[in-house]
Amino acid sequence: DREVCRIRDCFGRYKEIGHPVFPNGTESNLCFKRRKHHEISTMAYMKPETIINALQTTQRISDEEIQFAMKTVAHSTNHDANSTTSVSYETLFAHEYTPDESIYQSTVQAWIDFLDPFFTSPISLSPPNKDIIDQVLRKDQNSLVLNPHSHVIYNHKEVKATLEEYDQRNKNNNNKLSFASFWRS
């Protein structure tokens, strides 16, 4: 999803992985301005030959950002970086996309884990209050809808096939992330 937004917003080195198009396939130059024009639909045309490398790079950068953030939090709260819990953005906000109560409860726990280092050191406040976190998060449960990828990726069949082929080639390699498992039909 991050790569799709980068392409549609013309952000960063997006031209390496695709370009924005209108639903009829003609190239769009709205870029970030598309966000001000909700009446105009744009999609991402993704270059299948570059998508795997782009996703791997994004995953590596995300992992590095998580490690940096963990070290920063550990340093600012006098915790050991190895004992600081890492929580992804997707986990913290998963409740916004589903009515599933178990996912909601996992999100509440993720926020407790995320906030805990800020409350426990160096000034030793009370741990994060689950009831307060629940009050804040509950109103946003199931408030957002993720569109199927076919609504935002112009050449969605080609991209999905590329992801599935990659996963098939790497199914026995435990170190590889399954990209097709994130596909929304």
Side-chain angles (χ1 to χ4, degrees):
D1 291 324
R2 187 181 297 182
E3 301 306 324
V4 171
C5 283
R6 281 181 50 205
I7 292 169
R8 292 172 71 201
D9 290 342
C10 307
F11 186 74
R13 296 171 15 195
Y14 75 94
K15 288 183 180 180
E16 295 174 8
I17 56 173
H19 57 270
V21 297
F22 293 109
N24 68 3
T26 59
E27 198 159 340
S28 164
N29 63 356
L30 283 176
C31 300
F32 199 77
K33 288 182 249 171
R34 74 180 175 88
R35 295 174 181 264
K36 292 182 181 178
H37 298 282
H38 299 286
E39 74 282 3
I40 301 173
S41 179
T42 63
M43 302 176 86
Y45 172 86
M46 303 183 89
K47 298 177 185 176
E49 67 276 9
T50 65
I51 192 63
I52 296 298
N53 186 49
L55 291 173
Q56 289 171 329
T57 299
T58 298
Q59 182 62 45
R60 181 184 47 74
I61 290 170
S62 294
D63 291 345
E64 290 170 2
E65 289 171 344
I66 288 169
Q67 291 304 315
F68 176 77
M70 287 174 58
K71 288 178 184 173
T72 302
V73 169
H75 176 74
S76 66
T77 60
N78 295 326
H79 277 77
D80 174 11
N82 295 325
S83 70
T84 303
T85 303
S86 166
V87 182
S88 71
Y89 172 89
E90 290 80 5
T91 301
L92 291 171
F93 294 97
H95 70 289
E96 294 180 340
Y97 299 98
T98 179
D100 187 306
E101 188 62 22
S102 64
I103 291 175
Y104 176 80
Q105 292 303 325
S106 296
T107 298
V108 170
Q109 186 59 51
W111 275 101
I112 291 170
D113 294 343
F114 174 72
L115 293 170
D116 188 60
F118 296 103
F119 282 82
T120 57
S121 248
I123 54 177
S124 298
L125 298 172
S126 301
N129 185 309
K130 183 176 182 175
D131 292 334
I132 292 173
I133 292 171
D134 182 60
Q135 282 180 330
V136 170
L137 298 181
R138 185 61 77 175
K139 65 182 175 10
D140 292 327
Q141 184 179 13
N142 200 32
S143 62
L144 299 176
V145 175
L146 286 173
N147 287 322
H149 284 108
S150 61
H151 291 191
V152 292
I153 301 174
Y154 180 75
N155 56 331
H156 60 93
K157 291 178 184 174
E158 210 176 349
V159 172
K160 183 178 182 185
T162 300
L163 298 176
E164 288 172 340
E165 288 169 18
Y166 172 83
D167 287 354
Q168 188 62 31
R169 283 192 317 270
N170 293 286
K171 68 180 178 182
N172 294 325
N173 186 343
N174 293 334
N175 296 326
K176 298 288 181 184
L177 181 63
S178 168
F179 292 124
S181 65
F182 293 103
W183 191 264
R184 291 187 308 277
S185 296

